[in-house]
Amino acid sequence: MSQHVTVPAGGQKITVNADFSLNVPDQPIIPYIEGDGTGLDITPVMLKVVDAAVAKSYGGKRRIHWMEIFAGEKATKVYGADVWLPDETLDIVKDYIISIKGPLTTPVGGGIRSLNVTLRQQLDLYVCLRPVRYFKGVPSPVKSPEKVDMVIFRENSEDIYAGIEYEAGSDQARKLIAFLKDEMGATKIRFPGTSAIGVKPVSIEGTERLVRKALQYAIDNDRPSVTLVHKGNIMKFTEGGFRDWGYALAQKEFGAQLIDGGPWVKFKNPKTGRDITVKDVIADAFLQQIILRPAEYSVIATLNLNGDYISDALAAQVGGIGIAPGANMSDTVAMFEATHGTAPKYAGKDYVNPGSEILSAEMMLRHMGWTEAADLIIASMERAILSKKVTYDFARLMDGATQVSCSGFGDVMIEHM
Ligand SMILES: NC(=O)C1=CN([C@@H]2O[C@H](COP(=O)(O)OP(=O)(O)OC[C@H]3O[C@@H](n4cnc5c(N)ncnc54)[C@H](OP(=O)(O)O)[C@@H]3O)[C@@H](O)[C@H]2O)C=CC1
Ligand SMILES: O=C(O)CCC(=O)C(=O)O
Ligand SMILES: [Mg+2]
């Protein structure tokens, strides 16, 4: 049945119930994509660390049966030139419910569209979930990195990020510009003859489903606030819509009430009785406030492109994108992946920090309900960092550190389990 994928014998599929809860067998099959560039270095380390944590936590009762699937450059070698994202890969990610991937390269300017974005769009993985927390001992450029404890809910299916754009001078760009000028009365295209044109779709449905998840997360995790981050003063109907629809949803579905006439609202957490405040900040101001007053922010709900920028900026405050995990999720399917990319200059050198992908796997284990193994990964990451045996990104900023390789850091983590 499979074209190029070997289904491991002895494992079983994870399934999902009508209420979206998971049935996770003790021997689940989990598909993984190695990834391009440094994916070659970090993915094997992630697999080894996760296997060690699971073995240590469950003494053989539970085991992950990893199944390699293909995307990016490796897919072109396995499936043939120009097959960057095989249909089989999409089918398996959907069918097996939970998967994990390394980073995939996207060329700048021309060339293929992002495979990462295509995966999210094709599988409608509409939430990009990126928690940002501090690990003791990690070098940081800010004075109080421990005050950064935020969880980003980035809308993952819409916005300018959807890739609807037309090259300068193309027939499509010319047609669209003529339509905008002649039929829509647009007078503000400064250089109509040489403009490329991008389209930014932002919908009520897309916003509501994302904000709903962020509010529910705040309830489930007893968080004090959800902040809607947008540039709605300038892009009134798209980013401004996101803000207005977000507030409206909090009122309509969560019973939130205006604070001092609004626009901020608040509601009682039905599980704890504590207030959850829903507020908003304009994106540029937000980027300075997360440096000056990070403790004021907890759960963040934002649009796709803002979420991309905010993820890397916040990661920098707690030590960089070497330890920035993430997940792309729909109501049923979840695909875990690091926040960073393929860092091509370091590819194949066994050099970079595998922490982001390992912590993405930690999120995956927690999502599966394998909390003992997830906790063990966090504990061993903490101990490894405190031992000061770290990869280059931390070693270059830490006093008295011993620099270890990518695989070496995985081994240090395993020693500390
Ligand atoms: N989800 C995905 O698959 C993503 C894919 N990409 C793609 O990756 C490619 C490269 O993008 P680029 O802009 O260079 O961004 P990258 O995130 O790949 O790298 C930027 C810088 O971040 C640091 N870095 C990245 N990974 C690690 C790591 N594991 N450990 C420590 N530090 C790390 C390095 O900093 P320093 O130089 O200081 O050492 C690196 O030069 C592009 O094609 C892009 O489209 C980008 C983001 C996400
Ligand atoms: O798809 C890509 O190549 C980049 C995506 C990205 O930067 C992200 O999702 O954070
Ligand atoms: Mg990014």
Side-chain angles (χ1 to χ4, degrees):
M1 195 182 66
S2 297
Q3 264 184 291
H4 293 291
V5 173
T6 308
V7 180
Q12 293 163 301
K13 276 185 191 172
I14 293 173
T15 57
V16 68
N17 300 311
D19 66 355
F20 304 133
S21 59
L22 296 173
N23 303 308
V24 180
D26 281 344
Q27 310 280 318
I29 297 174
I30 299 199
Y32 73 93
I33 294 168
E34 184 181 65
D36 297 326
T38 50
L40 272 68
D41 303 289
I42 61 178
T43 301
V45 177
M46 177 278 293
L47 298 177
K48 188 173 172 187
V49 169
V50 172
D51 282 345
V54 169
K56 185 95 183 166
S57 302
Y58 307 114
K61 184 174 170 288
R62 285 177 168 169
R63 179 162 82 83
I64 293 174
H65 296 254
W66 298 106
M67 174 165 75
E68 182 165 16
I69 57 173
F70 303 94
E73 265 189 60
K74 201 162 179 182
T76 66
K77 290 183 187 136
V78 174
Y79 288 79
D82 289 336
V83 186
W84 296 88
L85 185 56
D87 287 344
E88 183 169 52
T89 296
L90 286 165
D91 291 343
I92 289 175
V93 170
K94 206 174 184 172
D95 201 25
Y96 283 78
I97 307 294
I98 287 177
S99 58
I100 186 160
K101 68 177 274 293
L104 294 168
T105 299
T106 313
V108 176
I112 55 163
R113 287 267 169 202
S114 166
L115 303 172
N116 309 300
V117 173
T118 306
L119 275 162
R120 297 167 193 167
Q121 287 179 334
Q122 295 280 322
L123 299 162
D124 202 23
L125 306 175
Y126 64 89
V127 175
C128 179
L129 176 65
R130 291 181 167 172
V132 189
R133 55 158 289 192
Y134 181 63
F135 282 91
K136 200 167 169 221
V138 170
S140 161
V142 297
K143 275 191 204 150
S144 306
E146 71 287 348
K147 289 187 181 158
V148 178
D149 182 11
M150 293 183 220
V151 180
I152 302 163
F153 281 75
R154 164 192 181 194
E155 203 291 321
N156 221 13
S157 66
E158 302 195 295
D159 197 1
I160 202 80
Y161 225 89
I164 309 165
E165 50 165 19
Y166 303 100
E167 198 174 357
S170 66
D171 277 354
Q172 295 103 315
R174 263 199 289 271
K175 262 190 201 161
L176 195 49
I177 289 167
F179 171 76
L180 290 170
K181 282 172 61 183
D182 301 342
E183 300 198 32
M184 304 296 286
T187 55
K188 294 177 186 158
I189 303 173
R190 176 69 181 84
F191 296 110
T194 58
S195 286
I197 288 278
V199 178
K200 181 179 171 82
V202 178
S203 68
I204 299 176
E205 281 135 298
T207 300
E208 286 189 341
R209 66 181 182 170
L210 185 272
V211 174
R212 187 180 294 117
K213 285 279 184 202
L215 294 170
Q216 191 58 48
Y217 180 93
I219 291 172
D220 294 341
N221 295 277
D222 197 15
R223 293 284 191 148
S225 67
V226 175
T227 304
L228 308 168
V229 181
H230 60 85
K231 189 74 186 172
N233 50 341
I234 302 300
M235 291 166 273
K236 293 183 189 296
F237 302 128
T238 51
E239 304 242 345
F242 180 88
R243 180 194 91 138
D244 294 346
W245 302 323
Y247 276 134
L249 182 92
Q251 291 170 273
K252 190 169 62 179
E253 291 188 11
F254 293 82
Q257 304 288 326
L258 296 179
I259 303 173
D260 297 334
W264 291 21
V265 298
K266 68 177 178 186
F267 65 98
K268 290 248 179 278
N269 184 330
K271 294 188 174 169
T272 65
R274 277 196 273 271
D275 279 346
I276 297 176
T277 301
V278 184
K279 49 189 175 177
D280 76 283
V281 183
I282 295 175
D284 45 358
F286 181 73
L287 286 170
Q288 63 109 29
Q289 289 191 5
I290 53 177
I291 294 174
L292 298 175
R293 301 203 304 275
E296 289 179 22
Y297 299 100
S298 179
V299 178
I300 310 304
T302 191
L303 299 99
N304 207 336
L305 182 62
N306 295 339
D308 189 13
Y309 296 155
I310 291 166
S311 304
D312 281 33
L314 272 178
Q317 287 181 236
V318 294
I321 46 181
I323 50 161
N328 302 296
M329 309 173 103
S330 68
D331 293 332
T332 51
V333 175
M335 181 175 228
F336 294 81
E337 70 169 343
T339 289
H340 62 66
T342 54
K345 66 185 174 189
Y346 298 130
K349 296 186 173 161
D350 190 19
Y351 188 66
V352 294
N353 194 336
S356 301
E357 202 171 318
I358 293 172
L359 290 174
S360 302
E362 181 274 330
M363 288 173 70
M364 179 184 82
L365 292 166
R366 212 170 284 287
H367 182 69
M368 290 159 60
W370 291 18
T371 35
E372 298 81 3
D375 289 346
L376 189 56
I377 286 184
I378 295 288
S380 64
M381 174 78 72
E382 274 165 354
R383 289 177 206 136
I385 291 166
L386 287 174
S387 79
K388 296 195 170 187
K389 288 184 188 161
V390 288
T391 45
Y392 83 99
D393 48 331
F394 290 177
R396 69 187 169 188
L397 299 169
M398 254 182 185
D399 289 333
T402 305
Q403 186 173 327
V404 294
S405 64
C406 175
S407 56
F409 186 73
D411 292 339
V412 175
M413 280 188 69
I414 293 169
E415 276 165 32
H416 283 96
M417 282 181 183

